[in-house]
Structures are given as structure tokens and as C-alpha cells.
């Protein structure tokens, strides 16, 4: 039995995506937001920014996990982490933690990170001494990432296992779990090793298949662990609207979300266009009377790119001449996390000649608009 998938794009949007390519859903009108790896997975992101094709982790309790758990004993939890992606996209397992009852989180060292599509890896996890009979709970937290060229989308998921621990006295009362996982909520798996042990003693073949553990997105943990969004809790969703101010007519896109399947915005000297080395916004240095300044010659054809990644706005330097952000110089291929209020100076030697300022507008923790304002003082 496969573990339930986390979430998917709306059916109407998926239908629209197959016919129209880029743009808005013909049925619900929402923007079609593509996965950064859409060249390979041909998939839209779901509402939470996750690609259901690229990011398909599955977590199992391996067959043979059962042993009688009695008061004073420990429970071994042989876990299996699987990359269930169907399109050959590797998944990166970047962290695993476990928490017992009311104790704190414990990081489990992993001997692997990259999991090829369809492959799984085993991780042995063991509880501490279970010092009382009754129901116990183990929480698991797993950090995963999808990577495409230099980009990475990171996520944190949680799962919980509850299991009964029997009294030390072999003739003592048996703990029954009278809960239905569906009633408690998603993300919780009931595991009854004692029951399995009893069945096995009677010669019944049980628990020969791994038990799928339910996984839930943990957006709070994503922020807390620094995997998604900003330290302040603010995050930039892929649906964020870009607003362009101070660019020449025809030198920038219409205000709105980033619809190109690449998920990248290029800015540079070349004209706007989707052909090779074309830009989304054109960077020209102009004088007060609107004439082209010779400084424009120092702007590269594609000077830098902007893209939302793991809930943050990122800048990548494409120019061999580098650029400055808030006065600090960065060289080609460097990636910089942009914050509300940052100033990009494309020209390293004359930073004041051309600037693009970055302003965020947010509703609660979601950035809804990113306002990019071009100013020249050449
Ligand atoms: Zn739709
Ligand atoms: Zn994808």
C-alpha cells in the first residue's frame, strides 16, 4: 500500500497546463506555476510550492520491525526512506530527527543524502528505555530537497507513530489501542508490535510488508530550521507578484506572477524577449534627459537573474563583471538571498549610476508583491 501523496495541483490547472503551456488556468483563472525542473517532470507546483512529481518521499517502518515492547525495554524502528518519483528525479534527504514522548528532537546521523528515483535507503532508529507501560509516541521529522542545476527547493515533513508498551509482568494487563488513526488526524500511524508478536507466535505470517508512515508538511519547522523562508517567518511563495517601476516602456514584463516555466527572471542589457540571451527586464543606464549613458556598455547582456527559491527571493550573478547588493560585491555565479529593502547595484565600480531597489509587501507571513524599482543617477 503506497503512502498517501501529500498534495497536488488542482485538476483544472493540470488540464490547462497540458493545453496552454504557460499562463493562467482557463478554468479557475489562477496562475499556472511550474516546477523549476518542469523540463524533466512536466509538472505544476501545488499550492504549497511543492512539486508532486519531483518531491515524493515515502517513509516506511520496515518488515520485521516487530518485537515485544515491554516496560523497561527499547523499541527498534527500522525505517525505510524511499524516493517514489516516477520521472528519474533524485531526492536529497538532508536531515532526520526523532522525538520521544515529551523529550526534545534528536538528530539521527544519515550515511546517505542522494536517493535516486525508485530507490530506498534504510535507517535504524531506536527509542530510549520505555520506562512505563501504556501508549507511547515517537515523532519523526525529515528534511528533503529537490535540486535542479544550482537551485534547491527544501521541505520538512513530519510523521508520528504511537505504540503500546506492555507491563513488565507477562501476565499483566494488555494495553489496547482503541484509537482510529483517521480520528486522530493525518500524520499519525498506529503501530502494534505486541499484536504482531502474538500473531507470529501463533504461526501467522504478519507484517511481511513495510508499514507506510503518513507524512505531513511542517511549515513551522521549515522556518525554524532555516529550510524555507526568512528567519522572521516571512516567505516568498512562487505565486508572488512582481511589480516593475522605473523601467522604460517595453523594457519590463507586465506586473504579475512569474509564469515562465523556468521560474527565472533575467535582467541585463539585451532587449526583452524569450530568445537566446533575451531578458525579462532590460537594464539601461540613462542620463537625466533620457539619453543612453555610455555606462550601459558595462552592463552584461544578461547581468543577473531573480527567482523565488525555498520561500526566499534569490539573486544570481550572471555577469562576469559582478555586481553589488547593499554595497557588497559579488562575482559571477554567486547566489544572494534578497531581503525587503535591499538595493542591487549592477555596476560594481559606479554603484550609484544604476540601482534596482527591492521592496516586499506582505499579508501576514506571505509576501504578496515584490516591487522592483529602477533608478539612474548617471
Ligand atoms: Zn485551475
Ligand atoms: Zn518537478
Amino acid at each position: 500500500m503506497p503512502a498517501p501523496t501529500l498534495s497536488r495541483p488542482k485538476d483544472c490547472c493540470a488540464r490547462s497546463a497540458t493545453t496552454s503551456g504557460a499562463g493562467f488556468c482557463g478554468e479557475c483563472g489562477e496562475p499556472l506555476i511550474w516546477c523549476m525542473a518542469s523540463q524533466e517532470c512536466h509538472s505544476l507546483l501545488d499550492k504549497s510550492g511543492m512539486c508532486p512529481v519531483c518531491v515524493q518521499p515515502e517513509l516506511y517502518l520496515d518488515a520485521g520491525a516487530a518485537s515485544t515492547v515491554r516496560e523497561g525495554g527499547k523499541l527498534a524502528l527500522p525505517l525505510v526512506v524511499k524516493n517514489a518519483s516516477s520521472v528519474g528525479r533524485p531526492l536529497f534527504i538532508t536531515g532526520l530527527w526523532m522525538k520521544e514522548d515529551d523529550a526534545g528532537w534528536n538528530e539521527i546521523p544519515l550515511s546517505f543524502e542522494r536517493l535516486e528515483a525508485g530507490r530506498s535507503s534504510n535507517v535504524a532508529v531506536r527509542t530510549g528505555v520505555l520506562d512505563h507501560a501504556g501508549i507511547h509516541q515517537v515523532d519523526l521529522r525529515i528534511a528533503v530537497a529537490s535540486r535542479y542545476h544550482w537551485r534547491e527547493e527544501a521541505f520538512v515533513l513530519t510523521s508520528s507513530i504511537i505504540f503500546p508498551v506492555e507491563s513488565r509482568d507477562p501476565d499483566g494487563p494488555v494495553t489496547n489501542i482503541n484509537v482510529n488513526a483517521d480520528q486522530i488526524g493525518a500524520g499519525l500511524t498506529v503501530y502494534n508490535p505486541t499484536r504482531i508478536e502474538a500473531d507470529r507466535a501463533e504461526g501467522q505470517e504478519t507484517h511481511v510488508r513495510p508499514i507506510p508512515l503518513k507524512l505531513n508538511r511542517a511549515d513551522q519547522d521549515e522556518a525554524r530550521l532555516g529550510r524555507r523562508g526568512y528567519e522572521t517567518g516571512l516567505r516568498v511563495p512562487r505565486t508572488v507578484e512582481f511589480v516593475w517601476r522605473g523601467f522604460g516602456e517595453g523594457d519590463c514584463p507586465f506586473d504579475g506572477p512569474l509564469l515562465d516555466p523556468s521560474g527565472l527572471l533575467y535582467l541585463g542589457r539585451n532587449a526583452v524577449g524569450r530568445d537566446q540571451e533575451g531578458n525579462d527586464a532590460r537594464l539601461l543606464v540613462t542620463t537625466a534627459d533620457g539619453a543612453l549613458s555610455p555606462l550601459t556598455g558595462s552592463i552584461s547582456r544578461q547581468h543577473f537573474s531573480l527567482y523565488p527559491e525555498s520561500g526566499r527571493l534569490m539573486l544570481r550573478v550572471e555577469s562576469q563583471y559582478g555586481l553589488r547588493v547593499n554595497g557588497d560585491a559579488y562575482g559571477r555565479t554567486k547566489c544572494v538571498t534578497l531581503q525587503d529593502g535591499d538595493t542591487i547595484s549592477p555596476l560594481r565600480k559606479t554603484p550609484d549610476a544604476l540601482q534596482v531597489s527591492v521592496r516586499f509587501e506582505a499579508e501576514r507571513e506571505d509576501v504578496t508583491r515584490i516591487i522592483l524599482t529602477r533608478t539612474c543617477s548617471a
Side-chain angles (χ1 to χ4, degrees):
M1 185 181 95
T5 46
L6 292 152
S7 149
R8 0 192 87 257
K10 292 200 286 184
D11 287 344
C12 59
C13 300
R15 269 195 304 274
S16 279
T18 57
T19 53
S20 71
F24 294 86
C25 174
E27 293 175 55
C28 72
E30 285 178 19
L32 301 175
I33 304 295
W34 291 89
C35 171
M36 63 180 173
S38 63
Q39 291 263 23
E40 293 176 12
C41 69
H42 309 288
S43 176
L44 298 176
L45 299 180
D46 69 15
K47 264 220 138 44
S48 72
M50 191 185 259
C51 173
V53 179
C54 292
V55 186
Q56 265 201 57
E58 290 179 357
L59 192 61
Y60 296 89
L61 201 50
D62 203 359
S67 66
T68 313
V69 204
R70 291 202 177 271
E71 200 180 344
K74 295 177 177 181
L75 178 64
L77 296 169
L79 300 175
V80 179
V81 188
K82 184 177 179 188
N83 173 7
S85 172
S86 55
V87 295
R89 296 268 304 133
L91 186 71
F92 296 84
I93 312 300
T94 57
L96 179 70
W97 297 261
M98 137 183 209
K99 185 160 93 75
E100 287 178 68
D101 294 316
D102 299 322
W105 286 103
N106 245 336
E107 185 155 11
I108 315 287
L110 292 174
S111 57
F112 63 95
E113 183 182 66
R114 184 188 172 105
L115 263 187
E116 298 299 338
R119 303 301 291 267
S120 53
S121 224
N122 297 55
V123 189
V125 171
R126 181 180 282 271
T127 67
V129 172
L130 299 158
D131 59 5
H132 62 273
I135 304 293
H136 285 250
Q137 176 165 343
V138 166
D139 296 321
L140 297 165
R141 188 165 73 183
I142 184 165
V144 302
S146 170
R147 293 177 186 161
Y148 189 68
H149 298 296
W150 68 90
R151 288 186 284 168
E152 175 181 281
E153 288 290 337
F155 304 94
V156 176
L157 306 149
T158 57
S159 188
S160 297
I161 305 167
I162 60 168
F163 56 94
V165 172
E166 300 304 326
S167 155
R168 201 182 302 255
D169 171 8
D171 299 319
V174 171
T175 309
N176 286 309
I177 306 183
N178 291 316
V179 286
N180 182 331
D182 294 333
Q183 290 164 357
I184 309 166
L188 202 124
T189 302
V190 177
Y191 174 51
N192 200 335
T194 310
R195 176 79 226 150
I196 291 163
E197 194 66 17
D199 287 350
R200 191 170 283 168
E202 287 168 20
Q204 290 185 40
E205 270 300 307
T206 60
H207 189 31
V208 288
R209 305 222 274 146
I211 301 169
L213 302 178
K214 292 173 184 152
L215 286 170
N216 268 14
R217 264 296 277 287
D219 55 341
Q220 295 292 330
D221 287 340
E222 287 174 348
R224 221 171 283 135
L225 291 165
R227 305 288 166 134
R228 277 188 93 74
Y230 295 89
E231 279 172 16
T232 55
L234 207 64
R235 54 183 180 231
V236 173
R238 271 286 275 105
T239 49
V240 71
E241 280 190 39
F242 287 87
V243 177
W244 304 87
R245 299 267 187 268
F247 289 83
E249 214 184 315
D251 284 349
C252 64
F254 293 114
D255 294 351
L258 206 175
L259 297 174
D260 190 81
S262 71
L264 296 165
L265 289 167
Y266 281 97
L267 294 89
R269 194 185 72 230
N270 276 3
V272 170
R274 272 284 150 199
D275 49 341
Q276 230 200 342
E277 296 207 311
N279 286 300
D280 294 277
R282 193 174 196 189
L283 292 173
L284 302 174
V285 190
T286 48
T287 56
D289 55 11
L292 205 58
S293 159
L295 284 172
T296 296
S298 302
I299 305 280
S300 293
R301 285 177 295 207
Q302 286 187 325
H303 206 85
F304 64 90
S305 55
L306 298 175
Y307 52 99
E309 174 188 77
S310 289
R312 306 170 190 128
L313 177 66
M314 301 297 296
L315 173 150
R316 184 175 189 257
V317 183
E318 309 291 345
S319 168
Q320 57 177 317
Y321 307 120
L323 52 67
R324 289 181 190 274
V325 175
N326 300 335
D328 297 330
Y330 297 94
R332 189 172 135 81
T333 72
K334 279 281 178 308
C335 296
V336 187
T337 304
L338 294 177
Q339 314 260 0
D340 180 27
D342 282 354
T343 300
I344 306 161
S345 301
L347 296 171
R348 229 158 38 121
K349 288 183 184 151
T350 52
D352 296 337
L354 172 66
Q355 294 189 326
V356 178
S357 68
V358 180
R359 294 281 178 283
F360 289 175
E361 280 181 12
E363 281 172 14
R364 302 176 68 86
E365 57 279 326
D366 277 334
V367 176
T368 51
R369 307 211 308 166
I370 293 171
I371 298 148
L372 300 167
T373 307
R374 167 187 171 270
T375 50
C376 284
S377 51

